[in-house]
Amino acid sequence: MTISGMRRRSRWLRHLLATGAALAILATAACGGSAGDQEPGAAPVTDQPVQLAVAWWGGPARADLTQKVLDLYTQKHPNVTFTTQWQGYAGYYDKINTSAAGRNAPDLIQIDNRVLREYANKELIADLTPWQGSTLKVDKIDPKLLGTGKLDDKLYAVPLASNTQALAVDRTVVEPLGLLPPETGWASWDEFGAWAAKVTQGTGGKVSGVRDESANISFFEYWLRQNGKELYDGQKPGFTTQDVTAWLELWAGLRTSGAASSAEVAQPANAGDISKNTVVTKQTAASFSYDNQLTELNKATDHDLVLVPIPGATSGAYARPSQFFTAYGRGENVGTAVDVINFFVNDPEAGAILGTERGLPPNDDVSAALVPTFTDELKYVAAYDDRITAQAGDTPPVPAQGDNQMGQLLIAAAENAGFGRQTPQEAAAEFVSQATAELERASS
């Protein structure tokens, strides 16, 4: 084995040990069942003081808006107060897992679908089904969107907001070239590749048509769905080595034609930092985005950006939860925590405060009331979201346990292929092998 190969193996072993320790923590937290002091379906406490801990990730703007909604809840329910903890995404779940090991996790936990199956199976989060229809009203949430928080027909998490997939395209760059795409996008990947190559040519190579998105697990999932597959088949990968090879070769071809940026340009944005998005840095004319991120992207650039669907069939799209709120399964006041969740998604005043910072409101009535008050930019985002989700495919199954590691594994494979350290076939084979092992380990 080469020295570089030994280093990769060492990093991989350290990764397995670290993630194994995290799962051991969750397993410890699950021992003894998940029932809190309240019976399932119990009403919120109103006759004695209640203090609930709330955790979420995000920036200062999200923290400010979330705190305002919590303050409003306290104003309407004076017996309930809150302590809060928020931070960036990196390390967030490590902190949740550690607190769960001490049986002291926050009463309300913001999660994404990457950990939903794992947390439900480990009984870290409560089954919310007993509260559905009483304390928790979900009839104004699109069933497809609500279904993303269900596992085995039990509701474990309620979407705080929704969004869908898009390409953010720099109108300022492409319109003078006569290359502004129609709002319906490109009928095929070949058509898209030809467009992106023309953009690169038209700018004299100063701006590439599209960022190399081969490391983007969400984009890969979309492409799989266009090809009749899902990211997961139960607790196994839903893709083969041949599928991953085809994906990596697709992007290799786009790089070779000049349509896509080099791996060197793409790499800084692979971790998902929006400030390093290559449309913001003006290195490419297009990059993957979720529609609700348009506002933040526009704030970071003086160029005009538009949303365009992913190339090819919109069967790859789906209405996805940007985040969920869940209740800690061992909480002493689960019924009250559920009532707070209900307040976040159904109260019109709460909806007006939250706006679209997390995404579009999940409650149809709240959304309809808010849209007339939106800026033109937000109305544009809402219209895009409505148009794409109306054409979207079925809601994918809840991600497998271990999903939160898949993104990092794909980044490693894509960068190995993009920088020429491995062929697409070699990188694909290693990715599938590691992904399979990780999913098996996560469920053991």
Side-chain angles (χ1 to χ4, degrees):
M1 181 181 292
T2 65
I3 291 176
S4 62
M6 292 172 65
R7 286 173 178 165
R8 285 197 301 272
R9 175 70 65 178
S10 177
R11 287 195 298 269
W12 173 241
L13 287 172
R14 289 198 301 271
H15 157 75
L16 280 180
L17 289 171
T19 53
L23 280 177
I25 286 173
L26 284 179
T28 301
C31 292
S34 63
D37 287 357
Q38 289 185 324
E39 291 296 321
V45 172
T46 59
D47 59 351
Q48 57 185 303
V50 174
Q51 185 176 76
L52 300 176
V54 188
W56 69 90
W57 73 84
R62 178 172 300 170
D64 178 60
L65 297 175
T66 304
Q67 186 63 58
K68 287 179 178 177
V69 173
L70 294 174
D71 291 344
L72 180 63
Y73 186 90
T74 297
Q75 181 182 327
K76 296 186 176 187
H77 306 83
N79 69 304
V80 181
T81 56
F82 300 94
T83 60
T84 61
Q85 59 186 64
W86 62 274
Q87 64 178 75
Y89 190 78
Y92 173 79
Y93 288 116
D94 293 336
K95 183 174 288 187
I96 297 297
N97 295 346
T98 300
S99 62
R103 299 194 176 190
N104 192 35
D107 299 280
L108 288 99
I109 310 171
Q110 178 180 290
I111 66 170
D112 56 19
N113 63 354
R114 300 300 183 195
V115 300
L116 176 59
R117 184 180 296 273
E118 182 176 335
Y119 278 18
N121 287 345
K122 299 293 183 181
E123 298 184 336
L124 174 59
I125 55 179
D127 173 13
L128 305 181
T129 310
W131 285 273
Q132 189 172 326
S134 54
T135 301
L136 181 61
K137 310 294 185 183
V138 296
D139 55 305
K140 296 298 182 179
I141 300 176
D142 184 291
K144 283 186 177 181
L145 180 63
L146 186 67
T148 61
K150 290 183 176 181
L151 190 64
D152 299 328
D153 291 326
K154 295 180 179 180
L155 182 66
Y156 286 94
V158 180
L160 283 171
S162 68
N163 57 22
T164 195
Q165 308 84 353
L167 283 175
V169 175
D170 191 332
R171 182 204 298 267
T172 304
V173 170
V174 302
E175 192 166 37
L177 301 175
L179 293 172
L180 183 66
E183 68 174 21
T184 53
W186 305 270
S188 68
W189 279 84
D190 287 342
E191 183 180 305
F192 170 69
W195 171 87
K198 289 178 182 177
V199 172
T200 305
Q201 294 164 7
T203 63
K206 294 179 180 179
V207 179
S208 298
V210 65
R211 187 177 94 87
D212 172 10
E213 297 278 1
S214 56
N216 188 324
I217 193 75
S218 296
F219 211 159
F220 176 55
E221 179 187 33
Y222 193 107
W223 177 83
L224 281 173
R225 286 167 57 83
Q226 287 180 323
N227 288 279
K229 296 192 173 186
E230 295 288 357
L231 197 56
Y232 299 106
D233 178 9
Q235 193 56 32
K236 299 183 296 183
F239 49 83
T240 65
T241 299
Q242 290 74 24
D243 294 325
V244 183
T245 299
W247 171 251
L248 296 177
E249 287 180 340
L250 168 66
W251 287 98
L254 292 171
R255 291 193 301 270
T256 299
S257 71
S261 71
S262 66
E264 289 83 357
V265 167
Q267 187 181 41
N270 283 344
D273 185 342
I274 203 165
S275 69
K276 293 181 173 59
N277 186 296
T278 53
V279 168
V280 167
T281 59
K282 301 176 182 176
Q283 293 168 291
T284 71
S287 68
F288 181 89
S289 177
Y290 290 107
D291 53 14
N292 69 296
Q293 294 176 322
L294 182 68
T295 299
E296 191 171 354
L297 289 171
N298 272 331
K299 287 179 181 177
T301 179
D302 58 353
H303 283 195
D304 182 27
L305 308 181
V306 295
L307 298 173
V308 183
I310 305 296
T314 55
S315 57
Y318 62 95
R320 63 181 296 278
S322 55
Q323 297 100 28
F324 296 109
F325 251 165
T326 63
Y328 177 39
R330 300 189 62 85
E332 295 181 359
N333 293 289
V334 179
T336 309
V338 173
D339 193 57
V340 177
I341 295 173
N342 183 74
F343 186 76
F344 265 78
V345 298
N346 293 321
D347 187 87
E349 291 180 78
I353 291 171
L354 294 171
T356 62
E357 195 281 330
R358 283 181 170 90
L360 296 171
N363 180 304
D364 290 339
D365 288 349
V366 172
S367 181
L370 285 182
V371 167
T373 71
F374 283 174
T375 63
D376 289 344
E377 179 184 59
L378 291 180
K379 288 177 180 177
Y380 169 77
V381 171
Y384 173 88
D385 193 273
D386 286 345
R387 187 172 73 251
I388 299 303
T389 55
Q391 307 167 22
D394 293 335
T395 303
V398 174
Q401 285 186 231
D403 168 85
N404 56 327
Q405 301 301 324
M406 294 301 104
Q408 290 302 313
L409 293 178
L410 182 60
I411 288 173
E415 290 183 354
N416 282 338
F419 285 105
R421 295 189 287 260
Q422 292 178 312
T423 66
Q425 294 88 343
E426 291 168 342
E430 184 171 315
F431 170 60
V432 172
S433 175
Q434 292 178 344
T436 302
E438 173 64 20
L439 296 178
E440 289 176 352
R441 186 206 56 74
S443 63
S444 63

